[in-house]
Amino acid sequence: VIRETVPPIAENPAPKKTLGILGGMGPAATADFLAKLTAQTPAKFDQEHIRSVVCCFSDIPDRTDAILARGPSPVPAMLRSLALLEQCGVANIAIPCNTAHYWFEAMQRNTIVPIIHIVDAVREALIDQGALGRPVGLLATTATIRAGVYANRLASHGIDCLCPLDDDQAMVMDAIRQIKAGANNRKLESGLHVVMQRLRRRGAGSIVLGCTELPLVYPKDAPGVLDSTAALARECIRQHIRES
Amino acid sequence: VIRETVPPIAENPAPKKTLGILGGMGPAATADFLAKLTAQTPAKFDQEHIRSVVCCFSDIPDRTDAILARGPSPVPAMLRSLALLEQCGVANIAIPCNTAHYWFEAMQRNTIVPIIHIVDAVREALIDQGALGRPVGLLATTATIRAGVYANRLASHGIDCLCPLDDDQAMVMDAIRQIKAGANNRKLESGLHVVMQRLRRRGAGSIVLGCTELPLVYPKDAPGVLDSTAALARECIRQHIRES
């Protein structure tokens, strides 16, 4: 539906690779991912940044409800987003939502575009930080934990996960819901801090913020805390620099 | 290119209206817009947020260079972004870049999708704040100022613009370039503050941050300072609430 003055594609014969972002889960986490992607890219002006298309369909059904409470599946909506990104000609896809990775294989089967797995990005960051040798503490949705999104994928690399005990996990889940509702306060941050301290006392080395809502309230660059959103952004940048 | 398990569209017969975002100018400002869109939307969970598609093609040629220095035109690349957004089925389009609005009429002629003009959004915000009756001070790119993006559109509503004198304008332009290169420090903020104070001494009432890079370093909710990114987000939310 291009009209009038649109020049022939040939005028821009080799556009740079475009990153597809399957976002909306939730939308604030998507914005945070895009901000971190930009902040971490070595660029002196706009044109050196990574091209991206963001599909921010916030009405994708809740992932946790689907896994734990037989809520409607988010898969059809996620596949529609993937199809749209594919039609936009993206070279690879990032999904800044950890819980959505429960359906990673189903999504990857349905698109020819490679999807960058967020847990692989976290694993690379853990390796770079020399954070192996001790179990990692995992703050994530109850669905991410029960579905083994991290445990299964890290175990094959010899990394053990340590998760909060039930009461603490309920507190983490409550914090995630509050952040999705727009909350951002000291009480949330200090509540999460207490949960992390207990994980450390049980033997955790690094703590992984394995839900992309959590970095929205937890301070950047807190020592020993690994932000899965930032790790995913870094892996996207690494792949784009390697391939361009 | 939809495969396997994608259900028929009928399963999701009435998706919510989708906002198209012509972004990438620059990419950090696009992320800031998406964050403000989300933060300002009254929503208790993901699914209450606005659906959006963001076309973040950061390699669109520099707008200021095109207007002031005969650099390559950004119009072909912007029209390709618009065509892509149109193909994605968006209901309206926001462009979180003030300078790009120099080509507003050319863009609107080339898409059937209504584009929300950022200066109209700023004007609405000025009216809501009761900030009329005195000229507004404008911090923007030299291109935005020389092209009259604000002056022309506000004059027809009886609002005068006051712009920094040459040395101060050079400082603003230098700040914008530094922010695009990733800078964010106190010196930038205090330099901008000095320019604002001089505009106020010359009679400016409200100060408009009329370049979407500036709110990246200037504190949110500074009194008497109107953020064009936040104003555009608010207008998008208003239109989506009205139409849904």
Side-chain angles (χ1 to χ4, degrees), chain B residues 130-209:
Chain B
L132 306 185
R134 290 172 72 183
V136 296
L138 179 61
L139 297 199
T141 64
T142 308
T144 294
I145 290 173
R146 295 235 185 113
V149 172
Y150 272 80
N152 297 341
R153 205 155 179 114
L154 291 183
S156 61
H157 289 80
I159 306 169
D160 289 328
C161 285
L162 209 57
C163 297
L165 303 179
D166 285 357
D167 286 356
D168 279 359
Q169 180 57 34
M171 190 201 288
V172 171
M173 206 54 222
D174 183 57
I176 291 169
R177 289 216 183 82
Q178 284 188 55
I179 300 165
K180 280 187 182 292
N184 187 354
N185 54 56
R186 272 297 171 108
K187 198 158 154 267
L188 274 174
E189 185 193 322
S190 60
L192 293 170
H193 189 71
V194 168
V195 176
M196 291 183 194
Q197 288 303 94
R198 279 201 271 263
L199 285 170
R200 288 199 176 100
R201 254 178 266 132
R202 288 168 54 209
S206 289
I207 304 285
V208 171
L209 300 180

Side-chain angles (χ1 to χ4, degrees), chain A residues 159-176:
Chain A
I159 307 169
D160 289 327
C161 285
L162 209 56
C163 298
L165 302 179
D166 285 357
D167 285 356
D168 279 0
Q169 181 56 34
M171 192 201 288
V172 172
M173 207 53 224
D174 183 57
I176 291 169

Side-chain angles (χ1 to χ4, degrees), chain B residues 49-137:
Chain B
H49 279 278
I50 292 173
R51 277 165 64 100
S52 65
V53 175
V54 188
C55 200
C56 191
F57 290 173
S58 44
D59 53 346
I60 296 174
D62 189 80
R63 287 63 62 195
T64 292
D65 284 354
I67 296 172
L68 298 183
R70 299 171 186 250
S73 170
V75 174
M78 292 194 299
L79 294 186
R80 275 192 291 270
S81 293
L82 287 176
L84 195 67
L85 291 172
E86 195 174 314
Q87 285 162 20
C88 290
V90 303
N92 46 18
I93 289 171
I95 308 174
C97 170
N98 288 272
T99 314
H101 284 71
Y102 173 64
W103 296 277
F104 179 82
E105 283 76 18
M107 288 192 280
Q108 187 61 87
R109 268 199 310 277
N110 280 277
T111 176
I112 50 166
V113 182
I115 304 174
I116 301 168
H117 199 301
I118 196 166
V119 178
D120 293 347
V122 166
R123 191 191 64 223
E124 290 303 307
L126 287 168
I127 292 169
D128 287 352
Q129 294 183 0
L132 306 185
R134 290 172 72 183
V136 296

